[in-house]
Amino acid sequence: MKDKRILYVASELMPYLPETEVSSMAFESPKMVNGKGGQTRIFMPRFGNINERRHQLHEVIRLSGMNLVVNDFDMPLIIKVASIPKERMQVYFIDNEEYFKRKATVTDKDGKLFKDNDERAIFFAKGVIETVKKLNWAPDIIHVHGWMAALLPLYLKNYYSNEPLFKETKIITSVYGNGFEGTLNNDIKKKVLFDEIAEEKLSLLEEANFDNLMKLSVENSDAVIMGTPTISSEIEKFIDAKKVPTLAYKYPEEFSSAYEDFYLNEVLS
């Protein structure tokens, strides 16, 4: 992995949010790459329940300040950073007062999905890509973890298709079994269409449930990793039909060499 550049884009990440299958692998994967001489950048949303003081988040003025257009509204992008103690890993947080100030992640106190989760996902995808452009850091691989990041492959392959920084970049989606009930806002397709992404690319957003979001991410990826021992049969069939390099689930004690081999010999070869 020496000198390979891997960009991790995650819905959640330890130690900033509780341990889950997603937050754990979004932490362990870059830790493995760092340990083998690779370069990493990690991005996640700056959810309002992340303790900024305890984790020592601070705003990066030179990266903040631009506006991202979401559904014809200008939304200010704020970038914050923190370092994971003892790991020499820097994490970039995508922030916006309207989308991420509330003291929660993706559901309210009654467990209902926030109505603007669709716009938050669009803002997150565009915010990551615009920030990486500002950093002028061309990744060899972008590895996506979690459904809040599921629109990034779509935007990278379509909205940013002519961006030279990502010309050689390969995208991996890790698919997990833990999703959400219900669907995102029914207007999500219309909001993505506003960005002039071709309508035929968006049929899966007719019903923006968890399975369809993950299928959309897979559809625009170059490879897939099974992040849990079991995933929905519907997603599994979709992956099989896609016929891209796919890595079966690996237990924590065996994932390191398997991921390294997959990155180097299946995705980048």
Side-chain angles (χ1 to χ4, degrees):
M1 295 302 302
K2 185 168 176 56
D3 297 327
K4 296 298 184 206
R5 293 181 168 192
I6 317 295
L7 173 66
Y8 291 90
V9 186
S11 296
E12 50 194 287
L13 175 73
M14 292 169 41
Y16 305 105
L17 291 174
E19 183 175 358
T20 64
E21 290 157 324
V22 176
S23 69
S24 176
M25 285 311 301
F27 168 80
E28 294 293 347
S29 304
K31 180 182 175 183
M32 176 274 291
V33 171
N34 270 6
K36 293 179 181 289
Q39 301 177 40
T40 62
R41 296 286 188 276
I42 309 170
F43 281 79
M44 70 173 291
R46 204 289 298 173
F47 291 114
N49 54 351
I50 294 172
N51 189 312
E52 291 200 18
R53 180 176 295 177
R54 186 170 76 231
H55 294 297
Q56 299 182 356
L57 273 67
H58 62 274
E59 184 176 351
V60 184
I61 303 300
R62 69 183 178 86
L63 296 177
S64 299
M66 75 176 86
N67 284 351
L68 303 180
V69 178
V70 178
N71 195 31
D72 206 17
F73 290 98
D74 282 352
M75 307 301 291
L77 173 64
I78 301 166
I79 302 297
K80 295 175 180 176
V81 297
S83 294
I84 299 178
K86 301 178 183 177
E87 301 298 342
R88 296 182 295 109
M89 296 197 299
Q90 194 166 53
V91 181
Y92 294 80
F93 296 83
I94 299 295
D95 198 4
N96 170 271
E97 288 284 308
E98 180 73 21
Y99 290 140
F100 297 113
K101 187 175 182 179
R102 68 202 72 160
K103 300 293 184 183
T105 51
V106 297
T107 57
D108 63 20
K109 64 182 187 301
D110 298 318
K112 293 182 179 178
L113 291 168
F114 289 122
K115 290 182 178 179
D116 64 350
N117 277 341
D118 60 331
E119 294 185 12
R120 297 167 96 201
I122 294 169
F123 185 86
F124 181 51
K126 295 172 82 170
V128 169
I129 297 169
E130 291 292 351
T131 304
V132 174
K133 284 171 58 181
K134 268 198 169 184
L135 291 168
N136 197 32
W137 193 79
D140 296 296
I141 292 173
I142 297 177
H143 191 164
V144 173
H145 296 263
W147 67 263
M148 181 66 83
L151 294 182
L152 187 138
L154 171 76
Y155 270 83
L156 195 64
K157 290 291 180 75
N158 295 276
Y159 189 76
Y160 293 95
S161 59
N162 295 321
E163 176 55 55
L165 193 71
F166 303 103
K167 185 179 178 182
E168 304 297 329
T169 301
K170 301 295 184 182
I171 305 174
I172 301 173
T173 290
S174 276
V175 179
Y176 297 86
N178 46 342
F180 60 83
E181 297 293 327
T183 62
L184 300 189
N185 193 304
N186 289 333
D187 289 334
I188 181 172
K189 181 180 173 183
K190 183 178 74 175
K191 293 170 184 176
V192 175
L193 279 171
F194 179 83
D195 288 322
E196 298 183 356
I197 294 176
E199 187 165 8
E200 61 265 24
K201 304 281 188 181
L202 305 179
S203 59
L204 287 164
L205 290 180
E206 294 287 355
E207 184 182 3
N209 57 27
F210 173 77
D211 281 5
N212 283 344
L213 281 173
M214 296 318 303
K215 286 193 281 187
L216 186 66
S217 189
V218 167
E219 186 171 69
N220 291 280
S221 294
D222 303 292
V224 177
I225 292 177
M226 303 298 190
T228 46
T230 58
I231 62 173
S232 86
S233 58
E234 190 176 325
I235 299 177
E236 198 164 4
K237 289 175 186 174
F238 189 87
I239 293 170
D240 288 343
K242 182 89 164 68
K243 298 188 184 305
V244 295
T246 302
L247 181 66
Y249 173 72
K250 301 298 176 185
Y251 287 94
E253 62 271 15
E254 60 177 348
F255 96 92
S256 180
S257 59
Y259 275 38
E260 181 183 19
D261 180 70
F262 189 68
Y263 284 165
L264 294 176
N265 299 316
E266 296 289 339
V267 181
L268 294 177
S269 62

